Amino acid sequence: MRWAICVLLVACGGGHGTASGDAPADPDGSEQTGAYCPTGTNTTSTGGAQITLDVDLAQLTPVSDYIYGINNYPEANYSLNYPNTQFGMMRWGGDSYSAWNWATNATNGGRDNGFTNTDQFMPFAYGSDPADPAYHDNPHDPNVGGAVVDGSDALHAGLPGLVTVSVQDYVAANANDQTVAYAPSADFTSNSPSQAGAQVTFFQAVGAAFYELDNEPNYWSGTHPEVFGTNDLSFDELVARDTTYAAAIKVAAPSALVFGPVVAGVDGMTSLDDYGDLAATNPYAATGVDAISYYLAHVATASRQAGTRLVDVLDLHYYNDTKDKAGTPKTDEECAQGPRDFWDPSYSTVDTSYDDYITGWKPRRLIPRMTDEIAASYAGTRLAFTEYNNGCEQSIGGGVAEADTLGVFGQYGVFAATAWPLQPVTPGTSWLVGAFGAYRNYDGNGATVGSLATTSVSSDIATASVYGFAAPNGVPTVQIVAINRTAAPVTAEIRLSNACALTSAQPYQLTSGSAAMVSAGGPIAITDNAFAYTLPALSVTTFALRSY
């Protein structure tokens, strides 16, 4: 029988054990993939390897396609610039959406654009085709429905979309491109849950899949005083706004998934504050109860009272700081270590001034920490990171970090994630976007890794990570992701356990020489389901393994 296995290796240093999430229906994996054979643990040693990277097909867990998402803004032109990369979803969000009037496409980006009402910065205000009147720098498009469709890479590509629903009291009333008088004023119109319901009904018709409750509420007093005011947001007010609007979404679309509270950073997760003026009455300051724990428990209570689950997905934003406490930019190697913040109990992120105010959150362990809080307060809630960035995105360190982060999300059962590039994403300049190819376009022709995660372990987490994937039953393929974070080449012994016999591995790579995956030479011979390979410094390598 002819079949293939892929092993994705990223030179970078990391690696960990079993993935979390739902267990496969068949515990030994035999019903999950044609690449599984009960051969036991592989302990082969070829000698001379600096590390071992082990992939075991005995246990397989589902991986959500939605972790391979990215934030949508049409100037990125993902569908044109990266036509073969199979993104999992696209998010329409950010500061511009808090005051967005979806019915007219007018918004106020708050502090981001000088508190000016406009439609020129909205993802739906222009499309990818310069001939379209909605294209950027052309006159504003009055056809709101057409602008939504034309300006959306997600809808063009047929991808699931995550749409932001404002939970503010006011949204923009015009797009005059002038500085506004803060609400209540003629520049703003009242918002309401019924308006949110109408928005959801509209977006259901044009193909949106998920709904997000506003954006970064812990910063509203600084980013959006034009509609929110300048007072700090209390835990109770956040719960009240979110549950009210979530209930309206559920009425309009009972099967829709609602994401919340979309808080940003460890400051948002703990206190809904920036720590600059943390009030003594803040629950986190007074009792140590963090904002996420409080939110989950109170939304759970509101859901029981409503007779339906109101928030389906815990939605967080996390950016690794790009500079250390002294203001020195991080190196590629430091950026490549950053994804360990999401899971590793042995890793503490580089100190910044931000950390002076954080107690008990280093190591970060964000995914296990949030998973524990969900289990304790609102069981069954899924987890998403709809903005994240590890830095160094226009160099190989950012590509290595992105590839590692995507592997972590798959291994640990994250439901959805959308990276936010902070720099231009033109092909050849963005290693962050290029790193998606390691999973979603490794051969340049759209080849993707499978939807089931294997157990994958690196012998040296600070040096290299490894991630394994298999296709569902009936499609006999497997993929493995491994990562080298270091500035020196590393010789790895790659071993597969409980896998059917393999004979060759075809490598593809992301290195400092190219911001896209490229072929890395001819096939490598495999003996007894093991082979040695020298991973280039700071690199990502995807191997397509074959039995012929």
Side-chain angles (χ1 to χ4, degrees), residues 5-13 51 53 55 396 399-404 431 434-443 449 463-469 478-485 488-492 494 505-512 514 516-524 531-545:
I5 287 185
C6 292
V7 176
L8 170 61
L9 294 157
V10 184
C12 100
I51 58 171
L53 302 174
V55 175
I396 185 58
V400 168
E402 179 60 29
D404 196 34
W431 271 261
F436 278 79
Y439 298 81
R440 307 296 282 183
N441 183 29
Y442 62 79
D443 66 351
V449 300
T463 300
S465 313
V466 59
Y467 305 99
F469 300 88
V478 173
Q479 296 80 32
I480 299 168
V481 180
I483 301 177
N484 173 15
R485 321 175 190 281
V490 174
T491 300
I494 303 154
Q506 177 66 50
Y508 303 88
Q509 271 175 359
L510 184 75
T511 66
S512 61
S514 174
M517 296 290 290
V518 297
S519 178
I524 302 154
F531 64 100
Y533 188 82
T534 300
L535 304 172
L538 287 166
S539 64
V540 180
T541 307
T542 302
F543 296 92
L545 278 65

Side-chain angles (χ1 to χ4, degrees), residues 303-474:
S303 295
R304 287 191 294 271
Q305 294 171 346
T308 188
R309 172 177 277 275
L310 295 175
V311 175
D312 303 278
V313 185
L314 176 64
D315 188 350
L316 308 171
H317 292 174
Y318 184 71
Y319 289 83
N320 284 315
D321 289 329
T322 59
K323 297 180 180 179
D324 66 14
K325 193 170 182 177
T328 304
K330 289 183 180 179
T331 65
D332 277 330
E333 297 95 307
E334 288 173 331
C335 288
Q337 295 288 342
R340 295 169 67 186
D341 270 349
F342 284 103
W343 69 274
D344 190 354
S346 69
Y347 174 74
S348 288
T349 191
V350 176
D351 275 336
T352 68
S353 57
Y354 187 62
D355 292 291
D356 291 341
Y357 306 100
I358 298 170
T359 59
W361 282 64
K362 289 186 76 173
R364 297 276 195 257
R365 297 180 55 254
L366 288 178
I367 297 173
R369 188 186 298 274
M370 294 300 104
T371 299
D372 289 346
E373 295 208 5
I374 287 169
S377 301
Y378 196 17
T381 305
R382 307 175 200 192
L383 180 61
F385 294 91
T386 60
E387 287 187 27
Y388 69 92
N389 189 309
N390 294 288
C392 302
E393 63 190 274
Q394 292 189 312
S395 62
I396 185 58
V400 168
E402 179 60 29
D404 196 34
T405 302
L406 293 173
V408 168
F409 289 165
Q411 289 279 304
Y412 280 88
V414 172
F415 173 68
T418 49
W420 187 291
L422 298 170
Q423 303 296 326
V425 297
T426 305
T429 68
S430 178
W431 271 261
L432 183 156
V433 182
F436 278 79
Y439 298 81
R440 307 296 282 183
N441 183 29
Y442 62 79
D443 66 351
N445 292 310
T448 65
V449 300
S451 60
L452 300 171
T454 70
T455 299
S456 306
V457 180
S458 168
S459 65
D460 184 349
I461 198 61
T463 300
S465 313
V466 59
Y467 305 99
F469 300 88
N473 190 35

Side-chain angles (χ1 to χ4, degrees), residues 159-174:
L159 293 176
L162 174 60
V163 177
T164 301
V165 174
S166 172
V167 303
Q168 304 295 326
D169 294 332
Y170 301 95
V171 293
N174 57 59

